[in-house]
Amino acid sequence: MFSSLLRILTLIRKELLVILKDPKSRASIILPPILQCLIFGYAATYDLNSVPYALVDQDRSAASIALVAKLEGSGIFQRQGAFLQTAEAVPLLDARRVLLIVVVGSGLERGLETGAAAAVQVIADGRNSNTSGIAQGYANTIIGDFAAAWAAEKGMAAPGVRVSTRAWFNPQLETRWSMIPSLIGTITMMMTMMLTAMSVAREREEGTFDQLLVAPFTPTEIMIGKAIPSMIVGITQATVILLVALFWFQIPFAGSFLTLYAGLALFLAAAIGFGLFLSSIAGNMQQAMILCFVFLMPFMLLSGLMSPTDNMPATLQYLTMINPLTYAIRITRTVYLEGGHFAELLPDMAALAVIAAVTMPISAWMFRHRL
């Protein structure tokens, strides 16, 4: 047992030296996670800061002027043109110069004064359904607030239902608050799987794989020696992303670091199991890289990173059960934003443990079979 442990430690040291002695490899551990966090935090966001729109004001009253001032005073809506008829604004929408057309009906002020129906139509560019839906939501909220404020100012009866909204765990509904914690698992899985899958392929291409065969290492020891350095690198990258979230984006951490790292350790074990499986069937680094991308893209799409898994077809929801990234994203969001405890995350952690317990032996068997 002691001699086996020494052999594993020797192999771990050798793998870490291969990574750390190369300046490019050292940089790839730290720089890509930081750059990807900044890109996702600032660019990949569903928050709209600028909505170009065209105005069709058929009422031309004090109420319509006040409504337009309310829209543009938000700092989000930028008018690209004012027209009398909707048909005149359509070319701007067709040319993608505007995202919305706001049509103020001719009876707006009269409707507000008498309590009758006042028509304000918001026409959106459905070619970008997600962004248009968000922009429509912004416009509808501003128009609703304007109608309520107008009624209160004129001493009229307030609307029958007043809606008050609050958002828990993310008060400003900022996309980066949910995106950045999710990247702790996503980026870590990408780098860890690729590093693990390409390690054996690199040995084959550089001709050092034969040296491993004649060295006193068992296939299990080789597998463990390849897995632990990747786990160390994964934990390091996860820590870098966590520090960026805490100190750069200043997203408050509500949970326990111990719970978070326990979940990450199980997640990395499952991800490394997949990586070792790929390394056992890849003949060279090019094959290993292609196999990683073949697996990583479905993992990311089925993880709940960009869209909720509950909205997926039932068949795909079953596939998410074997995706370790699904559980990792759920764990990081729950711990980071909600302050979730270990007990409530136990089902997700148990699922990761099962995935690791299945993939690791299969990888060991495949590795032994290839040897």
Side-chain angles (χ1 to χ4, degrees), residues 299-315:
F299 279 169
M300 293 179 65
L301 293 176
L302 297 176
S303 65
L305 174 66
M306 307 302 294
S307 59
T309 57
D310 294 338
N311 292 343
M312 299 177 185
T315 304

Side-chain angles (χ1 to χ4, degrees), residues 210-282:
D210 293 336
Q211 297 178 14
L212 283 178
L213 296 180
V214 299
F217 293 114
T218 65
T220 303
E221 291 171 352
I222 294 176
M223 187 191 71
I224 296 174
K226 294 286 186 181
I228 293 180
S230 299
M231 183 171 289
I232 294 173
V233 171
I235 290 293
T236 302
Q237 291 185 326
T239 303
V240 170
I241 300 169
L242 181 62
L243 292 175
V244 172
L246 287 172
F247 297 108
W248 182 267
F249 291 107
Q250 297 184 347
I251 303 173
F253 185 83
S256 165
F257 290 104
L258 182 61
T259 304
L260 178 63
Y261 277 94
L264 285 175
L266 289 172
F267 164 64
L268 288 173
I272 288 171
F274 278 104
L276 288 172
F277 173 76
L278 298 181
S279 69
S280 65
I281 61 177

Side-chain angles (χ1 to χ4, degrees), residues 346-362:
L346 194 57
D348 293 323
M349 293 191 178
L352 287 173
V354 170
I355 294 174
V358 171
T359 55
M360 286 287 189
I362 292 177

Side-chain angles (χ1 to χ4, degrees), residues 53 55 66-80 142:
Y53 83 102
L55 173 66
L67 174 59
V68 172
K70 185 82 171 177
L71 279 172
E72 297 179 358
S74 66
I76 297 174
F77 293 88
Q78 284 85 39
R79 192 195 314 178
Q80 302 300 310
I142 293 174

Side-chain angles (χ1 to χ4, degrees), residues 295-328:
F295 275 80
L296 282 172
M297 187 57 67
F299 279 169
M300 293 179 65
L301 293 176
L302 297 176
S303 65
L305 174 66
M306 307 302 294
S307 59
T309 57
D310 294 338
N311 292 343
M312 299 177 185
T315 304
L316 294 180
Q317 290 188 38
Y318 286 119
L319 289 178
T320 61
M321 297 175 65
I322 62 173
N323 181 7
L325 189 55
T326 302
Y327 304 104

